């Protein structure tokens, strides 16, 4: 409604101004001057479309300072008003399109198959500098794997022990935000994933669809390894087949935990069945470069 009223105000007040005053008003805006140069508008064309040019400036002025979709101050985020010259006419035609930041958001959203965090959280809480700082503290195995992913080379994965929960969250969100430029990804917090699967026991298609999102994604981030409520079902029927599938398909899997790799055999042992726990850990190691 505010946008419509602004356009009406322009149309009501502008006719009372002389041509020079109108041109001064238009050229006072760097955004308007940029538009005029891009469209090669003559003085006559500018005067014929003053209301549209000023409305374009009013709608897009905030876009000049915007650096991401989360910074968008518009009611309908990610939209921009565009002006183009109508062919064989001096009339400017208005169109609404999505901006580059929304396009990036949409493309990443399509590549995020399953996640403990929403896309809105990933975009609003991504702290690039903190993410880079955490990366520098991680073992060489991560640096090697990440470099291979960056260059689109085949790579397995790695195991990362990150004890601080805040650091782990910033790292995971930063990692997802960078990987989603090129890869289909899933971020699985094991305890939540098991709960989601249990909720789908009565929905065979939904259950299998969720499994496929983690079986077949290019990069799988498994968070909170060893921190879930471990049962024979979660270990032998869910995790083990998942790891086997990713080994067979040569897909990248990143394990993140507050526990060390050496602690996992004890954590995954249930009623002295240590051989099954060791089998699971050996599969994890097969997925590490």
């Amino acid at each position: 409604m505010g946008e419509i009223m602004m356009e009406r105000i322009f149309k009501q007040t502008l006719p009372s101004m002389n041509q020079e005053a109108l041109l001064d008003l238009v050229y006072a805006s760097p955004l308007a001057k940029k538009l005029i140069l891009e469209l090669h508008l003559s003085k006559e064309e500018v005067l014929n479309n003053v209301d549209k040019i000023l409305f374009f400036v009013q709608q897009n002025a905030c876009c000049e300072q915007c650096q991401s979709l989360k910074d968008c101050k518009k009611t309908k985020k990610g939209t921009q008003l565009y002006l183009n010259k109508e062919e064989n006419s001096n009339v400017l035609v208005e169109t609404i399109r999505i901006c580059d930041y929304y396009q990036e958001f949409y493309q990443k959203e399509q590549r995020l198959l399953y996640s403990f965090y929403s896309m809105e959280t990933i975009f609003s809480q991504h702290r690039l500098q903190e993410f880079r700082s955490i990366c520098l503290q991680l073992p060489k195995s991560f640096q090697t794997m990440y470099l291979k992913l960056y260059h689109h080379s085949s790579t397995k994965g790695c195991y990362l022990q990150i004890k601080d929960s805040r650091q782990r969250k910033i790292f995971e969100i930063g990692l997802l935000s960078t990987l989603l430029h090129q890869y289909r990804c899933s971020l699985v917090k094991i305890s939540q994933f098991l709960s989601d699967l249990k909720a789908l026991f009565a929905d065979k298609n939904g259950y299998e669809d969720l499994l496929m999102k983690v079986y077949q994604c290019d990069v799988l981030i498994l968070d909170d390894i060893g921190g879930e409520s471990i049962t024979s079902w979660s270990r032998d029927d869910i995790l083990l087949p998942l790891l086997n599938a990713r080994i067979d398909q040569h897909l990248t899997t990143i394990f993140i935990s507050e526990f060390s790799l050496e602690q996992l055999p004890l954590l995954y042992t249930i009623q002295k069945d240590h051989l099954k726990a060791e089998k699971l850990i050996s599969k994890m190691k097969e997925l590490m470069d």
Side-chain angles (χ1 to χ4, degrees), residues 263-289:
Q263 291 175 296
L264 294 189
L266 180 61
L267 291 170
Y268 279 100
T269 297
I270 306 167
Q271 297 178 343
K272 298 182 181 180
D273 59 353
H274 62 278
L275 290 177
K276 290 187 176 181
E278 288 174 3
K279 182 178 180 181
L280 179 72
I281 308 309
S282 71
K283 294 298 179 182
M284 288 185 187
K285 289 178 179 178
E286 281 189 57
L287 284 162
M288 302 174 202
D289 274 333

Side-chain angles (χ1 to χ4, degrees), residues 8-175:
R8 287 175 181 172
I9 289 170
F10 282 150
K11 287 181 177 179
Q12 290 169 3
T13 60
L14 293 180
S16 63
M17 301 175 67
N18 61 45
Q19 289 189 356
E20 292 306 314
L22 286 173
L23 290 172
D24 287 342
L25 184 61
V26 170
Y27 279 97
S29 165
L31 188 57
K33 287 196 286 186
K34 182 180 176 183
L35 176 74
I36 291 166
L37 288 172
E38 287 176 351
L39 298 182
H40 306 290
L41 300 180
S42 65
K43 179 179 177 180
E44 181 185 0
E45 288 171 330
V46 171
L47 289 170
N48 286 337
N49 294 279
V50 169
D51 60 324
K52 290 181 179 177
I53 294 171
L54 291 178
F55 188 54
F56 168 85
V57 170
Q58 186 264 333
Q59 291 299 299
N60 292 341
C62 62
C63 299
E64 292 293 288
Q65 304 301 320
C66 188
Q67 295 184 347
S68 69
L69 189 62
K70 68 181 177 66
D71 296 327
C72 184
K73 294 179 173 56
K74 296 184 178 180
T75 304
K76 192 168 183 181
K77 288 184 178 292
T79 57
Q80 279 187 301
L81 177 68
Y82 284 80
L83 289 180
N84 283 294
K85 264 205 290 191
E86 196 174 62
E87 195 172 353
N88 300 320
S89 168
N90 64 358
V91 176
L92 296 185
V93 179
E94 297 175 332
T95 56
I96 298 292
R97 304 180 200 167
I98 60 174
C99 71
D100 292 342
Y101 292 124
Y102 185 89
Q103 185 67 32
E104 178 191 16
F105 176 89
Y106 176 78
Q107 290 172 350
K108 286 187 174 183
E109 189 176 41
Q110 299 307 298
R111 296 191 189 105
L112 186 64
L113 304 187
Y114 172 84
S115 176
F116 176 68
Y117 304 115
S118 67
M119 274 301 295
E120 287 74 17
T121 299
I122 293 168
F123 260 76
S124 64
Q125 296 193 24
H126 175 42
R127 302 177 177 92
L128 188 58
Q129 291 302 322
E130 287 184 87
F131 166 65
R132 286 173 176 165
S133 176
I134 295 168
C135 288
L136 292 174
Q137 301 170 35
L138 295 176
K140 189 176 180 180
S141 57
F142 170 76
Q143 319 294 342
T144 302
M145 180 215 66
Y146 191 75
L147 192 60
K148 286 182 179 178
L149 285 173
Y150 181 81
H151 291 291
H152 252 277
S153 300
S154 177
T155 181
K156 291 182 181 179
C158 63
Y159 186 92
L160 303 172
Q161 183 182 14
I162 304 177
K163 294 182 179 180
D164 185 276
S165 59
R166 179 181 174 277
Q167 279 196 339
R168 191 159 65 242
K169 180 178 181 180
I170 292 171
F171 171 74
E172 289 168 350
I173 289 174
L175 185 61

Side-chain angles (χ1 to χ4, degrees), residues 7 35 55 70 130 197 203 216 262:
E7 188 173 27
L35 176 74
F55 188 54
K70 68 181 177 66
E130 287 184 87
L197 284 174
D203 180 1
Q216 297 179 348
E262 291 72 28

